[in-house]
């Protein structure tokens, strides 16, 4: 009897293990079958759509007008493998028209990605650049939906890569994702640091003189773009006039210790000095984080870095994200996303985007103060060039290529409950083109707000 019971237990154990093994095998096949299909020669991909249902990616033989995808070429990408840091490349498996139960669906598969991109606005911005190069990115600072992500030059993916050797530098990447010299847009970060460390009242009580240049405490010269100088400046005037000598003297001020600037920069996401430079992900697309070198408040390179030159690099996306923390007056960034939702092979919608925010990177009171400074700048200096919108803005000129060229930047936000848009616009080699960042901003806002 004992022998029979023991045999039963052994048989039961083996059956349990067998069933458990079969369940594990089915789960493994279910989870991994899509991966193996992705690497087969029978791969069939679905489409990518914009927020209004326009096609942004189609791997089929469907014919599209010339240039239909060019405005989104280097951010949406394709399945050819030439561009790796794109929406399609980072999310290829979501487009796979294969299901474990359905198998490979070659004709009526409904796997798709529905993005937040506004194709009409993207095309309008792309066309507004004309022959100029650069990038423009904009998103809803309340929801995080990326609306515009243009980078020029950009490939027409329908034409393939037979002449890839002739592509201009930067064609196959979105410049919005990579560090660029921020120029005087960096002064917003230094302004935030000053308010965080010394307080708004103390900062507004300060004034410094600009004679066209400033000899700092190390005996080095910080030049102003206005050679005759701005005279005595308050912080509001210094932001509006983008006065380099004012900010150099502010960085040297005893009430703004360098450690305070470093700490604020780090909270905002900068890699300072020897910090490890890193990247963050937007739906699988990698974006570089800001970096700078700050070693001595009296040193030219440190002051120059706080003004937006030197070793300072910031991506347009991150410049835009900081604007959300200001515009929302919370000190928290609205985290951006490209994907609104996806559909599987059967057409079932899932994975709907949820608005997310960063931790507090500066105090809400700081955000409110900076917001008012930027809105005053917009009202006083940009109401004619960006007509019809209440904007908070800061411009910047960045010296690049060892000072041989200058880039123009504009960061800002629309102060509106209906159109909560934050943006960053970059025009390369600004002295060699006729279009301005303000013109690009006007076209972009008109397209998004109409």
């Amino acid at each position: 009897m004992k022998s029979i019971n023991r045999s039963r237990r052994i048989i039961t154990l083996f059956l349990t293990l067998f069933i458990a093994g079969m369940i594990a095998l089915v789960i493994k096949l279910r989870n991994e079958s899509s991966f193996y299909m992705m690497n087969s020669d029978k791969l069939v991909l679905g489409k990518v759509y914009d927020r209004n249902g326009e096609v942004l990616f189609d791997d089929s033989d469907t014919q599209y007008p010339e240039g239909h995808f060019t405005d989104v070429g280097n951010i949406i990408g394709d399945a050819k493998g030439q561009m790796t840091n794109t929406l399609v490349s980072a999310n290829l498996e979501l487009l796979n028209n294969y299901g474990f139960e359905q198998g490979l669906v070659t004709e009526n598969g409904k796997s798709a990605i529905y993005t937040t991109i506004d194709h009409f606005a993207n095309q309008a911005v792309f066309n507004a650049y004309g022959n100029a190069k650069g990038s423009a990115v904009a998103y809803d600072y309340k929801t995080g939906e990326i609306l515009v992500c243009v980078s020029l030059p950009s490939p027409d993916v329908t034409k393939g890569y037979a002449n890839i050797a002739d592509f201009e530098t930067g064609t196959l990447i979105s410049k919005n994702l990579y560090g660029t010299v921020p120029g005087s847009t960096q002064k917003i970060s230094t302004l935030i640091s000053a308010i965080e460390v010394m307080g708004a009242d103390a900062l507004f009580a300060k004034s410094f003189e600009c004679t066209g240049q400033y000899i700092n405490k190390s005996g080095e010269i910080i030049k102003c773009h206005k050679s005759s100088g701005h005279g005595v400046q308050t912080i509001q005037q210094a932001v509006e006039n983008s006065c380099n000598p004012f900010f150099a003297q502010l960085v040297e001020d005893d009430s703004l210790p360098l450690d305070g600037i470093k700490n604020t920069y780090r909270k905002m996401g900068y890699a300072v000095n020897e910090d490890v430079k890193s990247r963050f992900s937007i739906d699988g697309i990698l974006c570089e984080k800001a970096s700078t070198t700050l070693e001595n408040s009296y040193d030219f390179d440190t002051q120059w870095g706080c003004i937006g030159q030197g070793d300072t690099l910031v991506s347009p996306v991150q410049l835009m994200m900081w604007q959300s923390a200001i515009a929302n007056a919370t000190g928290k960034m609205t985290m951006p996303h490209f994907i609104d939702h996806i559909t599987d092979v059967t057409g079932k919608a899932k994975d709907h985007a949820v608005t997310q925010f960063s931790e507090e990177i500066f105090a809400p009171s700081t955000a409110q103060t900076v917001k008012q400074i930027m809105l005053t700048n917009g009202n006083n200096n940009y109401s004619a060039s960006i007509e019809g919108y209440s904007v908070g803005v800061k411009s910047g000129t960045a010296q690049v290529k060892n000072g041989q060229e200058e880039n123009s930047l504009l960061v800002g936000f629309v102060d509106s409950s209906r159109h909560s848009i934050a943006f960053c616009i970059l025009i390369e080699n600004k002295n060699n083109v006729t279009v301005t960042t303000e013109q690009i901003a006007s076209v972009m806002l008109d397209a998004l707000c109409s």
Side-chain angles (χ1 to χ4, degrees):
M1 191 69 173
K2 290 181 179 179
S3 176
I4 293 173
N5 288 336
R6 187 166 50 250
S7 297
R8 286 175 178 172
R9 286 196 296 269
I10 292 172
I11 292 170
T12 300
L13 176 63
F14 275 112
L15 285 172
T16 301
L17 292 173
F18 175 76
I19 293 171
M22 290 300 295
I23 293 172
L25 178 61
V26 170
I27 292 173
K28 182 178 176 66
L29 288 172
R30 182 184 183 89
N31 292 340
E32 296 183 4
S33 58
S34 180
F35 169 81
Y36 291 113
M37 185 59 65
M38 290 295 299
N39 293 278
S40 77
D41 57 1
K42 296 182 179 179
L43 179 64
V44 178
L45 297 176
K47 297 181 177 66
V48 176
Y49 298 94
D50 88 331
R51 64 190 299 108
N52 299 310
E54 277 208 51
V55 176
L56 301 181
F57 164 79
D58 185 352
D59 201 40
S60 71
D61 294 329
T62 304
Q63 298 297 308
Y64 292 89
E66 184 174 345
H68 178 82
F69 300 113
T70 307
D71 60 297
V72 294
N74 47 26
I75 190 62
I76 299 299
D78 59 20
K80 302 293 193 299
Q82 295 293 344
M83 295 178 284
T84 56
N85 199 27
T86 63
L87 188 74
V88 169
S89 178
N91 298 279
L92 202 59
E93 193 165 345
L94 299 179
L95 295 171
N96 187 8
N97 272 313
Y98 171 85
F100 184 72
E101 291 84 2
Q102 298 81 14
L104 181 65
V105 182
T106 58
E107 293 183 3
N108 299 313
K110 298 178 181 179
S111 294
I113 294 174
Y114 290 81
T115 74
T116 60
I117 291 287
D118 187 317
H119 197 199
F120 170 78
N122 235 57
Q123 288 177 321
V125 171
F126 185 89
N127 293 334
Y129 269 86
N131 293 325
K133 305 296 185 290
S135 64
V137 61
Y139 81 152
D140 187 317
Y141 59 75
K142 293 189 182 297
T143 66
E145 298 168 292
I146 297 179
L147 306 169
V148 171
C149 192
V150 167
S151 179
L152 302 96
S154 180
D156 185 344
V157 296
T158 63
K159 293 185 175 181
Y161 301 92
N163 64 330
I164 192 171
D166 299 326
F167 284 10
E168 294 181 63
T169 301
T171 299
L172 300 181
I173 64 168
S174 175
K175 297 172 184 176
N176 290 304
L177 307 172
Y178 299 91
T180 189
V181 181
S184 288
T185 62
Q186 177 70 13
K187 290 170 181 169
I188 295 299
S189 296
T190 304
L191 169 64
I192 290 168
S193 300
I195 298 171
E196 288 283 279
V197 174
M198 68 174 67
D201 291 342
L203 178 60
F204 275 89
K206 289 186 179 296
S207 61
F208 299 108
E209 185 177 8
C210 169
T211 62
Q213 64 179 32
Y214 172 66
I215 301 176
N216 69 15
K217 293 181 179 179
S218 295
E220 299 160 309
I221 297 175
I222 299 288
K223 292 184 178 180
C224 187
H225 64 88
K226 185 179 180 181
S227 59
S228 60
H230 292 110
V232 177
Q233 297 276 282
T234 64
I235 184 60
Q236 181 68 51
Q237 292 168 324
V239 169
E240 292 188 37
N241 293 322
S242 205
C243 181
N244 291 344
F246 179 98
F247 277 88
Q249 292 173 83
L250 179 62
V251 172
E252 284 186 342
D253 195 275
D254 291 338
S255 57
L256 183 56
L258 187 59
D259 282 345
I261 298 176
K262 289 179 182 178
N263 290 338
T264 303
Y265 276 21
R266 285 185 171 117
K267 285 183 68 177
M268 292 177 68
Y270 287 84
V272 180
N273 298 345
E274 300 304 319
D275 295 348
V276 176
K277 296 180 181 180
S278 59
R279 299 184 290 181
F280 61 95
S281 173
I282 308 173
D283 295 323
I285 301 171
L286 298 178
C287 182
E288 290 182 348
K289 285 190 175 182
S291 61
T292 192
T293 301
L294 307 176
E295 295 181 337
N296 185 331
S297 295
Y298 301 160
D299 177 64
F300 175 90
D301 290 338
T302 294
Q303 293 171 12
W304 210 224
C306 290
I307 291 170
Q309 293 288 157
D311 292 334
T312 303
L313 295 172
V314 191
S315 72
V317 164
Q318 203 164 9
L319 286 167
M320 174 192 71
M321 290 167 63
W322 291 332
Q323 292 301 303
S324 72
I326 296 167
N328 285 323
T330 61
K332 297 180 180 181
M333 296 180 295
T334 309
M335 303 309 291
H337 59 271
F338 284 102
I339 298 177
D340 179 77
H341 68 279
I342 65 172
T343 54
D344 63 17
V345 67
T346 67
K348 181 181 178 180
K350 57 183 183 179
D351 296 340
H352 290 268
V354 177
T355 300
Q356 297 181 342
F357 302 94
S358 72
E359 295 181 355
E360 187 176 288
I361 58 174
F362 44 81
S365 58
T366 297
Q368 184 60 56
T369 300
V370 176
K371 180 178 182 178
Q372 190 54 55
I373 289 173
M374 293 185 68
L375 284 171
T376 300
N377 184 33
N379 182 64
N380 290 346
N381 300 292
Y382 292 86
S383 57
S385 56
I386 308 178
E387 190 175 0
Y389 304 96
S390 176
V391 292
V393 291
K394 180 70 187 81
S395 63
T397 298
Q399 297 176 1
V400 296
K401 298 184 179 179
N402 297 317
Q404 296 178 24
E405 294 182 6
E406 290 184 333
N407 294 344
S408 180
L409 295 98
L410 187 71
V411 298
F413 58 89
V414 179
D415 188 32
S416 168
S417 58
R418 292 184 60 238
H419 304 295
S420 46
I421 299 166
F423 57 85
C424 178
I425 297 166
L426 165 68
I427 293 177
E428 298 173 357
N429 197 10
K430 73 181 186 72
N431 298 319
N432 203 36
V433 298
T434 57
V435 69
T436 67
T437 53
E438 294 98 312
Q439 290 170 336
I440 298 294
S442 290
V443 168
M444 180 170 66
L445 295 179
D446 285 347
L448 290 173
C449 301
S450 59

